[in-house]
Each structure stands twice: as structure tokens, then as C-alpha cells.
Amino acid sequence: MSKFLNKRFEFLEPYVPGEQPVDMEYIKLNTNESPYEPSPEVLSAVNESEMLKLRLYPDPDCGTLRRALANHYGVLKENIFVSNGSDDILNFVFMAFCDCGAVFPDITYGFYKVFAALNGVAFETIPLKDDFSIDPADYYNAGKTVVIANPNAPTGRALTRDEVETIINHNSGNIVLIDEAYVDFGAESAVELTKKYDNLIVVMTYSKSRSMAGARLGFSIASAAITRDLDIIRFSTNPYNINRLTLVAGVAALESVDYYRNCCRCISETRRITVDALRALDFEVIPSKANFVFAAHKTIDGGRIYKELKRRGILVRHFESERISRYNRITVGKPVQMDALCQALRDII
Ligand SMILES: *Cc1c(COP(=O)(O)O)cnc(C)c1O
């Protein structure tokens, strides 16, 4: 740290992303990317004529994309906020709506506590139940901004829409943020509830189910007033934070409904087969509604499994935090990748 760094960042511990190795080719099951390419519509939208326009700034209003998203989700353009990945939106929410503090589960997306620290937000964590599920009642009348990933990461467990609704209507004086990064893999979305509740923000991303982690595109659906607030923050930091190629790719992806539905169906089916295979190898597997599974072997330590898999060219995600150190989070890839995973696990065991 240089002597010039602002004191408020002295103890900031940055988020540690999953490894993105360049030394060799791994079977990469560690950052929940899609194993499938972007749709044909996306590939043809990002063409030479769009590249020639790169000399021009992108549309700061992102009007075409916001209208297309509004149309897709049955809301109005005024309800759609878009930004450079959903992490960007989460940061803005901690910046904009958390003077009251924030609350989230003890085991959840690791970025929440980093954004809280970055923005000087006091936060409380509530332990998941023993089976890693969330008890909605734990979040009633929180008196703080409630942040819940649904499905949760890294557990993969999901709340029903009705459970989410009880959290929202027991917090009418505070914002409830539902992070739906993984919702397309089998959970119930809370988007409809944004029409009924003015304290709800649903955050989604193109990174997982739409195979565009590298394009950096996220969006939120909320009341027009909340959406305007978020745009004030975006226009006060970087109004051009979504590049032209990502804007056209984002619109084109919405034309590929069947393609992406089929990708999600393949991933759900591969997940089901993987869960069975892992259980047959003596793993405890948490029931998942996401594109990953969270699994602990009955006798072999999680860190050991992570290392042995890496030695065999397979990357999964291991978290050191005590409560989950027996587990690994394993992205659901293509069937051949999961076969290789199971073969390597058999070898290790
Ligand atoms: C992957 C992920 C995100 C971040 O997505 P980006 O749009 O790529 O920034 C947000 N929340 C959760 C829970 C995630 O797992």
C-alpha cells in the first residue's frame, strides 16, 4: 500500500475472483460460466459494421437495450437499469441505498461484504440454517437493506417466490435486493413482484445463463424511482460504462429465447446426472437450482479434493471459510466435462 492511499481503504480486503489461469488449459468448473457459446444471433450482431462504429461513444441512455429488456420481462423501460456487469449494480445499491446498513446470509456471494466495506456500510450477517437454507423470517423487519442471492451462491438453494414476497412485505421501509444471477436454471423469479412493491430491486446478469460473462452486462428491474436513483449514480461515475459491442450483443441475445432456454435445459439435465454421480461417490450434495453444485465428500477434505483435481487439470472453487471448507462449488459444464470430473474423482478417492 502506498502512503497516499486514503485511510478509509487501509483495511479493504478486495474480492478474490475465481482463478482465470493462462498457463494451461483446464476443464474450468470454477466460475460458473456457461459451457455453451453465445447464440448465433449474438455472433452475427457483433459484426464489422458495429466495430467501425467503435470510434463513437455508445448511447449513454442504453435505450434500445432497455426497451428490449422491458419488452422481454413485461415491464417498462423506466424500470430497467443496465450496467457493466451485475457486480457494478450491486456496488451502486450499496452506495445508494444503505445508509441504514445492510444484512445478508453468513454464507453467500462474497462480494456483498466487499461492497459494504468499500462504501462504508455497516452490515450484519445471519447464519443459514444447518441444511444451508434461508429462513425468510430471519429477515423480517430487518431495519436495513436486505440482500439475498436467489438461488443462493455457493449453496445453490432457492427460496420460492412466496417466501421472497414475505421478506419484501415485512420490510416495507427498506430496500430488498434479490440477486437473481442464477434464476434461469430453475428457480422462481421475483420480477413480477416489482410491479407490486416499491422497495424491491431484482438484479440479473448476462454472465451465466446467457453465456456472456466476457461482455460484462447486468441489469436490474425495480420501480421507476429506484431506477432513476441508480442512473444518477451511473451518470456520476461513468455514463458510457457499457460498450457498443456489448449493447448490440445484449439486444441480440434477447432474440434467442429458444437457444438459451435449451442451454439452460441441458445444464439442468447435466446437473441432475452430476448430482447422482457425486452421491454415488459418497459426496453430500446440496440440492441446487443453479448452474453449479455444492458438494462435500464424506471423508476427504474439500481443500484436498480441490488440489487433487487441479493437479489433474480440473478447476473447481474451494472456499476457506470454516463453515464450508469441507465443500467445493462445482460449475455444471458439458456432459463430457462432468464425465472427466467424475473420472478424476474416482481416481482421487
Ligand atoms: C456471478 C454473480 C454475479 C456477478 O455477475 P456479473 O454480472 O458477471 O458481474 C452476481 N451475483 C452473484 C450471486 C453471482 O454469482
Side-chain angles (χ1 to χ4, degrees):
M1 182 194 320
S2 81
K3 64 184 179 192
F4 306 108
L5 183 68
N6 293 338
K7 283 289 166 276
R8 66 177 181 280
F9 298 134
E10 201 173 5
F11 300 107
L12 187 63
E13 284 184 44
Y15 179 72
V16 183
E19 299 160 90
Q20 302 290 356
V22 286
D23 58 327
M24 63 171 266
E25 282 247 351
Y26 286 91
I27 294 182
K28 221 174 148 300
L29 307 175
N30 68 329
T31 49
N32 298 342
E33 291 141 328
S34 174
Y36 301 108
E37 275 88 51
S39 71
E41 286 78 5
V42 170
L43 300 187
S44 58
V46 183
N47 56 26
E48 187 174 349
S49 110
E50 290 302 326
M51 285 181 216
L52 291 173
K53 292 187 208 149
L54 284 177
R55 68 189 182 81
L56 301 169
Y57 281 111
D59 169 18
D61 180 55
C62 306
T64 308
L65 175 61
R66 289 171 63 206
R67 267 187 295 275
L69 281 165
N71 194 31
H72 185 84
Y73 285 97
V75 296
L76 302 174
K77 178 192 165 219
E78 289 66 34
N79 304 117
I80 302 279
F81 176 74
V82 291
S83 207
N84 188 289
S86 60
D87 286 336
D88 214 31
I89 303 178
L90 299 172
N91 184 31
F92 289 165
V93 169
F94 277 91
M95 203 183 292
F97 301 116
C98 291
D99 274 357
C100 52
V103 59
F104 40 84
D106 62 338
I107 307 295
T108 190
Y109 187 38
F111 229 142
Y112 300 150
K113 62 176 192 299
V114 179
F115 288 135
L118 177 66
N119 293 292
V121 170
F123 67 93
E124 177 196 347
T125 58
I126 297 180
L128 297 179
K129 293 197 283 187
D130 287 342
D131 65 357
F132 291 147
S133 62
I134 288 173
D135 183 347
D138 286 346
Y139 295 84
Y140 292 175
N141 308 310
K144 302 177 171 71
T145 295
V146 175
V147 180
I148 290 182
N150 193 44
N152 196 13
T155 66
R157 278 197 186 273
L159 295 170
T160 65
R161 185 185 296 110
D162 290 345
E163 289 173 317
V164 169
E165 183 163 10
T166 65
I167 295 174
I168 298 162
N169 66 32
H170 282 87
N171 284 284
S172 53
N174 289 97
I175 295 276
V176 175
L177 182 158
I178 304 295
D179 180 348
E180 295 192 351
Y182 300 104
V183 76
D184 295 332
F185 302 104
E188 296 175 356
S189 174
V191 162
E192 275 307 303
L193 301 176
T194 60
K195 294 175 185 163
K196 195 165 155 197
Y197 297 99
D198 67 0
N199 62 326
L200 170 62
I201 307 177
V202 175
V203 178
M204 296 192 191
T205 177
Y206 278 71
S207 295
K208 315 292 174 28
S209 61
R210 289 195 177 99
S211 307
M212 279 173 48
R216 311 307 302 128
L217 185 56
F219 56 99
S220 68
I221 303 179
S223 72
I226 286 176
T227 303
R228 272 194 305 275
D229 291 343
L230 289 170
D231 246 341
I232 288 172
I233 309 264
R234 192 170 72 91
F235 275 76
S236 305
T237 49
N238 180 0
Y240 300 120
N241 68 347
I242 307 177
N243 72 71
R244 280 183 167 273
L245 300 182
T246 294
L247 284 175
V248 294
V251 173
L254 298 175
E255 291 156 16
S256 317
V257 175
D258 291 342
Y259 175 86
Y260 286 112
R261 194 180 289 144
N262 191 44
C263 291
C264 290
R265 204 181 296 129
C266 290
I267 289 167
S268 304
E269 175 63 6
T270 308
R271 178 180 67 206
R272 189 183 63 72
I273 294 165
T274 304
V275 169
D276 288 347
L278 290 172
R279 287 188 176 143
L281 290 169
D282 266 350
F283 280 86
E284 292 164 28
V285 188
I286 310 296
S288 172
K289 299 269 193 204
N291 67 339
F292 56 82
V293 295
F294 202 45
H297 193 263
K298 288 190 178 134
T299 56
I300 309 170
D301 171 67
R304 174 103 193 277
I305 288 188
Y306 160 80
K307 280 197 211 85
E308 291 292 333
L309 283 173
K310 186 168 180 184
R311 241 166 38 81
R312 290 166 176 79
I314 300 176
L315 280 182
V316 298
R317 188 90 200 253
H318 181 253
F319 299 94
E320 296 295 341
S321 128
E322 196 187 320
R323 198 176 165 193
I324 53 172
S325 64
R326 291 178 50 233
Y327 288 80
N328 280 291
R329 192 195 67 194
I330 306 168
T331 305
V332 177
K334 291 185 177 173
V336 294
Q337 298 177 301
M338 306 323 275
D339 289 345
L341 169 82
C342 291
Q343 195 49 49
L345 287 172
R346 256 174 237 118
D347 187 42
I348 293 165
I349 292 163

